[in-house]
Amino acid sequence: MVFSTTGYPFYLLSATLNNIDPILGRILPSSRPRSTDLTGKTALVTGANIGIGLEAARAFAAMGGTVIMACRNQSRGDAAREQILAASKGSISPDKLQVEIMDVGDFDSIQSFITRWGDKPLDILINNAGVTLGTYSKSTNGLELSYVTNMLSHYFLTLSLLPVMRPNARIVNVSSVGSYAYKSQFDVSDLDHSKHIETKLGLKVGDDFPSGLAFELYQRQKLLQIYFTREMQQRLEKSKKYGKMGISVHCYHPGLVKSTIWARDDGLKLSWQKWLTRFVNAFGVSTAEGAATAVYLATDKDYVPRHSGLYWYRMGLRGANRLVEDEKTRALVWDQMAVEAKLTEELKL
């Protein structure tokens, strides 16, 4: 029996498999994407100094691609680059790895990066950088900081770089199983949830989030990434400018990854944070495993190109949260993000 990726049986199966991920991740064999020759191709990875981003950068460079490691901190980016080169024992040429500074929580930093990029062609974009905050913070554009970092910045970056993408370029968004947990359709006028945070919860900038709010924001933003993936793919296919270029957009759940996101200084400030960290360390998969599907989606030449705009896990298709099927809301979300990102007319898709 063949399930539709939008049908309820497929969604139910996918949600069930993803929600028992802490068990599956440890007992299933590792995902191993086939090595592909990336000579002459350029990949951009955000958040490339650590975790999934670091492993994706390592994999693309090992395949011969030129990798731009977009990092918030120069010294950490340089250290990550040296780590990859040292581990490669000479198999990766130093000129294949370049560190660029970009803070995805700051639109001025993103715009500066885009200006420096100029008209250089791009083949692979991995939207990976993200944050989980425990304190109510706002970015320089006045929106809630984790929303800007995890969603709006990548929307802006992707559309800003779209004009320099080569035919058959790949865009991969790192989402999460947390997207299944969000059950309400979005209030498009409050995508960053700041109205709810300030009006309903009475919080002001600098206040610690009450228990559960940080995860609610995380769930919302990871679901928005799937909205973004689906909507952009449809708009690309209908576009007179890009419709025949074969550019494709994908998103995926990396698994329960042993990541420092839960323990960083800018992470969750919860009394049980140490227990969460212990759980992840006990049951999580490696960062290389977490990056495997991103590498697969960016390089596979056979199956992936025929299944664009969808949600994946462990190199296989999964049914996304069914809220994504609301085409009207998807379009409204897209248009609202264009307003928030202050897209120029020439960048609108």
Side-chain angles (χ1 to χ4, degrees), residues 242-294:
Y242 300 106
K244 295 183 179 180
M245 288 185 64
I247 298 172
S248 60
V249 195
H250 314 269
C251 63
Y252 83 104
H253 167 49
L256 182 69
V257 179
K258 294 178 181 178
S259 169
T260 60
I261 191 171
W262 311 113
R264 293 202 307 257
D265 292 339
D266 58 356
L268 301 177
K269 299 178 180 178
L270 303 173
S271 59
W272 44 272
Q273 181 179 346
K274 63 179 181 181
W275 300 108
L276 174 62
T277 303
R278 288 176 181 175
F279 179 80
V280 172
N281 287 337
F283 293 99
V285 298
S286 68
T287 51
E289 176 70 18
T293 299

